[in-house]
Amino acid sequence: MQIFGVDIGGSGIKGAPVDLDKGDLAQERHKVLTPHPATPDGVADGVKQVVDHFGWTGPVGLTFPGVISDGTHIRTAANVDKSWVDTDARTLFSDRLGGLPVTVVNDADAAGVAEMQFGAGRDRKGVVILLTFGTGIGSALFTDGELVPNTELGHLELDGHDAEKKASSKAKEDNDLSWEHWAHRVTKYLAHVEMLFTPDLFIIGGGVSRKAEKFLPYIEGVKAEIVPAQLQNNAGIVGAAMRAAHHAR
């Protein structure tokens, strides 16, 4: 079975049909740049470009970098334009896609669902936290495989700042940090999250998951097991498609 997944990020909008039996992309993904400012209309146009690239006409799952209530209304918009707040995202995207059925899910929650089903969290019980390091820091919290949605742990306070302002991969790039220096910031962040939630497993996702060997060796003093995401930067696309398939039943 194939369902289309789109991952909306602070820098790019990427998507592809997903083979839900394998938990992998059925075709090579297509990506367009996220418009700046990332307004609802601009992002919706980008999503349409990605979906139209494949000529897709079925259900579409979409991730969004913020809190989503009732699967439709946007409540926060830290890394996109503030005009997203209170937007009915499901209606916006469905209208832009010619009435296709649309499911909208928090981006990190989507990545987490995919990793728990097909990746590093498969068959893991206890408390598992996936953290995506990108433009910000997204989080997905699971207890015995069940998702606690919209946790947004990237906005925990760390050294007087939003944690993602200090420890995201964007912070690494903006401050020209070495992998070792950045890993020390990530360590402080992981230790803070561990103090609050005592997870059994941290899964590190986002683009940096492809380069885990460059920073994981520098992370010390965290009791929980730490592993890179196996689906890497495709996890959001896969998870979005999984949620769309669930709602299409």
Side-chain angles (χ1 to χ4, degrees), residues 82-207:
K82 298 299 183 265
S83 60
W84 273 101
V85 176
D86 293 329
T87 294
D88 181 342
R90 184 162 55 199
T91 298
L92 169 72
F93 289 121
S94 182
D95 287 349
R96 196 61 54 93
L97 296 175
L100 296 183
V102 165
T103 301
V104 187
V105 61
N106 173 270
D107 56 351
D109 286 350
V113 166
E115 284 292 329
M116 294 299 287
Q117 179 72 29
F118 296 108
R122 184 167 40 195
D123 299 325
R124 292 295 297 254
K125 298 296 184 183
V127 177
V128 178
I129 297 178
L130 173 131
L131 297 166
T132 59
F133 291 83
T135 305
I137 299 175
S139 61
L141 171 65
F142 296 85
T143 176
D144 289 336
E146 291 295 319
L147 172 69
V148 180
N150 292 316
T151 47
E152 294 289 295
L153 301 182
H155 299 299
L156 290 171
E157 185 177 316
L158 188 66
D159 294 337
H161 300 274
D162 247 20
E164 65 180 25
K165 302 298 184 187
K166 303 289 287 185
S168 65
S169 61
K170 184 176 188 296
K172 177 188 181 301
E173 295 167 7
D174 289 350
N175 295 284
D176 197 24
L177 303 177
S178 67
W179 284 105
E180 183 175 4
H181 189 170
W182 181 69
H184 292 323
R185 292 190 180 192
V186 173
T187 298
K188 288 185 70 173
Y189 172 63
L190 293 179
H192 188 53
V193 175
E194 184 170 63
M195 176 192 70
L196 295 170
F197 295 97
T198 319
D200 301 285
L201 175 67
F202 280 118
I203 302 172
I204 305 300

Side-chain angles (χ1 to χ4, degrees), residues 188-247:
K188 288 185 70 173
Y189 172 63
L190 293 179
H192 188 53
V193 175
E194 184 170 63
M195 176 192 70
L196 295 170
F197 295 97
T198 319
D200 301 285
L201 175 67
F202 280 118
I203 302 172
I204 305 300
V208 296
S209 59
R210 297 191 300 267
K211 303 174 182 177
E213 74 285 352
K214 293 182 180 292
F215 66 90
L216 281 187
Y218 296 116
I219 296 178
E220 300 176 340
V222 177
K223 293 184 174 63
E225 182 182 358
I226 307 170
V227 299
Q230 291 180 9
L231 303 183
Q232 298 182 349
N233 221 15
N234 288 336
I237 297 174
V238 174
M242 289 172 63
R243 298 304 265 193
H246 177 76
H247 287 127

